Amino acid sequence: MRRIALGLVLAASFSLAGHAAEPDGPAGLITQSEAVRIAIQDRLAARSMSDVAEQIALAEYYSLPDQRLIWVDETGVTAKGKAVMAEIAKADDYGLRASDYDLPDVAGLDVGTPGATGQLADAELKISAAVVEYAKDARGGRIEPLTLSKNLDPTLYLPNPAEVISFIAIRSDPAAYLRSFQPSHPQFEALRQQLLAARAGDAPQAPQADTVVIPDGPLLKFGVEHPQVALLRQRLEAPAAAGVKDTQFDEGLRETVRQFQISHGGSPDGMVGSGTRRMLNGQSAPRQASGREKIDLLLANMERWRWLPQDLGPFYVNVNIPEFVVRVVEDGKPIHETRVVVGKTNKQTPIINDEMEEIVFRPNWYVPNSIKTEEIAPYLNRGGGFFSAGWDTSIFRRQDLRIRGVNGRDIDPDSIDWGRTDIRKYELYQPPGPRNVLGLVKFRFPNSHDVYLHDTTQKHLFAKTIRAESHGCMRVQNPDQFATVLLKHDQGWTAGQVSSAMQYGADANAVQLKTHIPVYISYFTARVDEDGTLKQYRDLYGHDRRVLAALKGQAVPYDLPGNDEVVAAETQRPVYRRGRQGQNDAVNAITRALFDF
């Protein structure tokens, strides 16, 4: 059916008003350019390109009788055509593969032979097809992310092939136009330079001074005076202030240590024990990829930059999952950065692009169906005589959960026959308060995955290095500061107004943003610092392996975190025992599920 439909479209394109003279007509009535154009039409009608939109775009372009050829003339491939071919030949320098594009053999083209018309038609069509394919690939069209994982769901911004071929035909510098489809983000270019150097076997390295080693010794903390404190100052380049001994651990040094711990994923307690010593001595850094592995790392991350729009906007929010960090960026510069907790490997935070629409202070938390059916319903069905009806509804009181019926009113859980009802038909919610799992504020950007950023009551998780602890939503450290940055930009709010709304605002007080703020939930396992250092992060969800398998035309491995088989194995419905111990087990399991959110 696809070929029939395509054939009808092509037939319509080639029968437009003003069609050229018949190819079998008198030779004197047909110029060589016209003969080449007609030969291109024949080839397009006979072949089937992998992308129907691209084939239709080329068919429509070459069906117009007054349309000039772009890449060839009666002497062969033009300078314009050679320039584009040279640009496409450099595709590997941008993380693509030049071998993916079928370019003509210019040296073998002989315009003095009887078959010159066919050769010129082949050359023209091959270059045009390569151009539209290259433009699509440069903007992220090589793979369909959702076919790799349901959690890879970015909005792709693929170019219109008809516009590509029409615009490049009139550009004086077609190579530059084609290059413009590559991501323009500074991080992409920095990764590209790393790729070029890695392939040359000489990756750029930031200048490294001789590192001062901090040997084993006592706990170094505020108020301590010890010779190792002087070594610590050397290591952190934190000279003592006037009147302070080099060996004295003062408040300034404590803050320097805290910042070092934060930047290296440690617990920011401002003290130097065995763990911080290992970080200072470079003994706890993750293994750094090299050789072919490093090249693959760079290619996977460059590919994911293609999933983002060329213009991210003047003000946006970016969560980078492998870093466990959220940044607010204004005019290309981060103006706020803090830690986040993201989804577990079997409850992954999805990779999406969206827009924040509102900030909700003192929010209700609505229990998702997954927790209703997988955790709460099995608990209710325990029975065991705690209540006369035979259903154990104590979990609602324990977790301060309310049940709202179709009329919008709260319902007594003991009045429901849980054996004859589907728990999913009820709205279960947790009202604002000190036990609310969303804390005091949430940041909404409506999406099909129903994830958002929010506060949390589990502040201790921000001290962990690997912060994959949630059901998919992202918990924000210091959400009051985050909210202040966003609302100051959007509505001129002060920190005091945010604090008041968080502590004393009306229940579920939603502030609609005047201008929606772009939100990019990304997955970059490699970043280049300003000093040229390549930072590498754990492939938490296995997305690097997924992307690389797809780029290489291989099957995606089954053993990756978050694959359906893994999720199914890890989310079996629990069976809770009767009796006091069974009740405790059930309460603990449901508590974990709620706080994991």
Side-chain angles (χ1 to χ4, degrees):
M1 291 297 295
R2 173 180 163 179
R3 289 187 62 86
I4 294 174
L6 178 60
L8 292 174
V9 172
L10 294 175
S13 297
F14 295 146
S15 60
L16 294 173
H19 190 281
E22 294 295 325
D24 294 331
L29 298 180
I30 304 175
T31 65
Q32 186 173 36
S33 293
E34 181 67 11
V36 169
R37 189 175 64 82
I38 294 171
I40 290 172
Q41 295 174 4
D42 293 340
R43 282 157 171 75
L44 281 168
R47 68 184 289 186
S48 179
M49 293 173 61
S50 59
D51 190 306
V52 174
E54 292 176 2
Q55 186 162 1
I56 291 174
L58 295 180
E60 291 179 343
Y61 180 85
Y62 287 108
S63 67
L64 299 177
D66 57 348
Q67 203 72 276
R68 297 178 60 184
L69 300 177
I70 310 173
W71 316 115
V72 302
D73 60 19
E74 64 278 1
T75 65
V77 176
T78 63
K80 187 174 182 177
K82 291 175 181 176
V84 162
M85 289 177 62
E87 185 64 35
I88 294 174
K90 295 187 294 187
D92 293 75
D93 292 349
Y94 291 86
L96 302 178
R97 281 190 302 264
S99 59
D100 287 345
Y101 309 103
D102 183 18
L103 295 172
D105 177 12
V106 176
L109 182 59
D110 186 355
V111 296
T113 64
T117 297
Q119 292 183 50
L120 291 171
D122 286 336
E124 174 81 11
L125 183 55
K126 282 183 176 181
I127 298 174
S128 288
V131 161
V132 293
E133 288 167 6
Y134 183 101
K136 179 190 71 174
D137 292 351
R139 292 304 309 133
R142 283 201 287 180
I143 56 179
E144 172 51 58
L146 269 176
T147 63
L148 307 183
S149 168
K150 65 182 180 182
N151 296 308
L152 290 175
D153 194 16
T155 302
L156 298 182
Y157 302 86
L158 301 181
N160 182 326
E163 292 181 359
V164 171
I165 198 65
S166 296
F167 281 122
I168 202 168
I170 60 175
R171 293 299 177 103
S172 59
D173 188 349
Y177 174 71
L178 195 58
R179 201 180 310 126
S180 72
F181 289 98
Q182 296 290 351
S184 57
H185 314 295
Q187 268 296 311
F188 178 86
E189 178 59 23
L191 292 171
R192 190 177 83 85
Q193 293 301 324
Q194 289 275 340
L195 176 67
L196 294 174
R199 283 176 168 162
D202 183 25
Q205 298 293 330
Q208 296 292 325
D210 292 336
T211 301
V212 176
V213 175
I214 312 298
D216 292 340
L219 178 67
L220 304 179
K221 62 180 181 178
F222 177 68
V224 165
E225 186 172 342
H226 192 276
Q228 284 194 11
V229 174
L231 287 176
L232 180 62
R233 289 188 181 282
Q234 284 184 267
R235 172 64 180 85
L236 295 176
E237 298 181 358
V244 178
K245 298 179 181 178
D246 283 347
T247 56
Q248 185 178 344
F249 200 120
D250 65 350
E251 178 62 38
L253 184 56
R254 178 165 65 176
E255 181 58 27
T256 301
V257 171
R258 284 189 70 257
Q259 293 303 319
F260 175 84
Q261 291 168 328
I262 290 172
S263 66
H264 287 74
S267 177
D269 57 14
M271 298 185 289
V272 178
S274 59
T276 300
R277 273 185 172 84
R278 287 194 295 271
M279 285 192 291
L280 288 163
N281 297 334
Q283 297 168 349
S284 61
R287 185 179 68 83
Q288 300 293 294
S290 59
R292 180 69 245 179
E293 185 182 15
K294 181 177 181 179
I295 291 172
D296 284 346
L297 171 73
L298 295 167
L299 289 173
N301 282 275
M302 290 173 68
E303 191 67 22
R304 284 190 290 266
W305 274 107
R306 305 182 197 281
W307 299 353
L308 294 172
Q310 288 281 40
D311 183 2
L312 299 176
F315 189 90
Y316 63 88
V317 171
N318 171 229
V319 176
N320 190 30
I321 292 170
E323 269 189 288
F324 307 104
V325 164
V326 59
R327 295 180 176 90
V328 181
V329 180
E330 185 171 25
D331 296 330
K333 300 292 184 182
I335 60 171
H336 180 75
E337 177 178 319
T338 192
R339 295 183 171 198
V340 292
V341 173
V342 302
K344 298 178 178 180
T345 54
N346 68 327
K347 298 288 184 181
Q348 297 180 7
T349 299
I351 312 307
I352 57 175
N353 311 337
D354 220 294
E355 291 185 336
M356 189 181 298
E357 298 182 6
E358 66 178 2
I359 298 175
V360 184
F361 294 101
R362 300 182 59 79
N364 290 319
W365 176 58
Y366 297 94
V367 181
N369 283 334
S370 60
I371 292 180
K372 292 180 191 176
T373 58
E374 294 169 12
E375 304 291 345
I376 296 177
Y379 179 92
L380 296 171
N381 291 334
R382 290 175 65 255
F386 286 96
F387 298 91
S388 57
W391 309 108
D392 187 349
T393 59
S394 63
I395 195 64
F396 293 105
R397 288 174 285 279
R398 287 174 180 269
Q399 301 296 346
D400 194 22
L401 295 174
R402 315 287 174 83
I403 305 173
R404 185 175 289 160
V406 292
N407 60 0
R409 297 179 179 178
D410 286 355
I411 301 173
D412 182 351
D414 292 332
S415 68
I416 299 173
D417 183 353
W418 293 104
R420 295 186 177 182
T421 191
D422 184 345
I423 193 172
R424 292 173 297 183
K425 83 174 188 178
Y426 293 105
E427 187 175 74
L428 272 59
Y429 72 98
Q430 197 178 45
R435 300 175 65 187
N436 188 289
V437 299
L438 300 184
L440 296 175
V441 60
K442 72 175 180 179
F443 307 85
R444 291 192 66 244
F445 40 98
N447 57 84
S448 61
H449 297 269
D450 197 25
V451 297
Y452 41 87
L453 291 146
H454 65 84
D455 183 18
T456 179
T457 56
Q458 293 187 296
K459 308 294 187 183
H460 66 281
L461 293 177
F462 294 113
K464 300 183 69 172
T465 302
I466 306 300
R467 297 186 290 278
E469 303 281 349
S470 81
H471 260 60
C473 285
M474 293 142 285
R475 309 175 196 175
V476 185
Q477 188 178 33
N478 302 321
D480 54 336
Q481 298 176 17
F482 185 57
T484 299
V485 170
L486 299 180
L487 286 173
K488 179 182 179 181
H489 169 81
D490 186 70
Q491 304 191 19
W493 277 38
T494 65
Q497 287 175 287
V498 170
S499 177
S500 178
M502 290 178 70
Q503 300 299 331
Y504 310 112
D507 291 352
N509 179 27
V511 178
Q512 302 296 321
L513 296 177
K514 295 177 180 178
T515 303
H516 292 177
I517 299 172
V519 177
Y520 305 104
I521 311 301
S522 62
Y523 191 90
F524 293 113
T525 54
R527 287 179 58 88
V528 181
D529 278 355
E530 291 184 1
D531 65 1
T533 302
L534 179 66
K535 284 193 171 180
Q536 302 177 31
Y537 305 99
R538 185 190 304 263
D539 186 13
L540 182 69
Y541 295 159
H543 290 331
D544 277 0
R545 292 176 61 192
R546 288 183 174 91
V547 170
L548 288 169
L551 293 179
K552 295 176 181 179
Q554 301 170 351
V556 176
Y558 287 110
D559 61 344
L560 297 178
N563 278 357
D564 290 342
E565 297 86 354
V566 177
V567 173
E570 294 186 11
T571 57
Q572 299 285 336
R573 283 182 59 131
V575 177
Y576 297 129
R577 295 172 289 169
R578 297 188 179 191
R580 179 59 58 187
Q581 184 58 47
Q583 184 183 40
N584 290 338
D585 291 345
V587 170
N588 290 337
I590 295 173
T591 300
R592 285 194 302 271
L594 297 180
F595 282 105
D596 280 351
F597 193 79

